[in-house]
Structure formats: structure tokens, C-alpha cells
Amino acid sequence: MPDDSTPTLEGFQTFVRDIMQVPGGAVPPDGVLGMVFRLANDLVIRDLRLIDGSLYTDCVYNLAASYLLKFAQDTASSTPPGYWAKVREQLGMNSTTPGLIQSSATTVPPRAG
């Protein structure tokens, strides 16, 4: 059994069901879950395991979940219908906020002494 510092596809599938609470009929095929899991696993900095193994695993699962939200497609058999499109709409993922940046600044702390 893997320790907390070893994220697994099975662990991510549990994350999708239990933490993200994706309905069973809307869970994408294993190929999609595997793709987003592998992508996240390759991109998260492995040195995080030195700080805390569970932190590393959480980072992998959360990044994979972010990719899943971006890449998952609704199918004709998805239940509820249009689940992923509705989630993206609720999160404002497909919208833009036009406008200009009013200000931007870098604050440099004063030197001691």
C-alpha cells in the first residue's frame, strides 16, 4: 500500500467521488482521469514530499482536479445532463472580465538600520 507521499490513480478516483462529489454518471472515463492525473503528477514539484508527503499528494490531486474541470466533456449518457458545462459556468471558468488595471505596485520594505 502506498504511503501518503505517493499519489495514485485510485486515490484520485476516490478524490473525484468523495471530495469533488462528482455524480457517478458524470465521472469521465478512466482514460480522461488517467490523463489529468499523470499530467498533474508530472508537473507538481516532487520536493514537496520532503516538507510533507500528504501535502504533495493533495497538490497532485488538486491540480488534476483543476485539469479535470477544464478537460472533462459531457456525453449523451452523462447524468445529470450537461454536468461539466454547468460546473464550469457556476465557477465562471468560461467568462472574461474586461477592463483596465487601475494600479499595480511593488512594495519594498524599508531597510533596517
Side-chain angles (χ1 to χ4, degrees):
M1 179 156 184
D3 60 28
D4 282 347
S5 65
T6 307
T8 63
L9 179 56
E10 294 77 21
F12 178 59
Q13 290 168 330
T14 300
F15 182 91
V16 169
R17 281 191 317 272
D18 297 347
I19 305 300
M20 293 179 69
Q21 298 183 351
V22 175
V27 174
D30 287 345
V32 174
L33 293 176
M35 177 194 70
V36 297
F37 172 75
R38 286 188 305 276
L39 182 59
N41 200 31
D42 289 344
L43 292 176
V44 172
I45 300 168
R46 297 190 190 281
D47 287 346
L48 288 174
R49 287 184 285 197
L50 300 173
I51 299 168
D52 182 350
S54 62
L55 171 67
Y56 173 72
T57 298
D58 289 345
C59 288
V60 170
Y61 291 165
N62 279 287
L63 183 57
S66 175
Y67 287 133
L68 184 60
L69 286 168
K70 293 174 188 171
F71 298 146
Q73 297 295 313
D74 292 307
T75 63
S77 62
S78 292
T79 53
Y83 175 79
W84 293 106
K86 289 175 187 171
V87 169
R88 285 190 282 271
E89 182 180 337
Q90 289 171 345
L91 296 174
M93 292 178 70
N94 294 331
S95 63
T96 59
T97 305
L100 299 174
I101 298 172
Q102 291 184 355
S103 68
S104 177
T106 301
T107 305
V108 178
R111 291 186 175 193

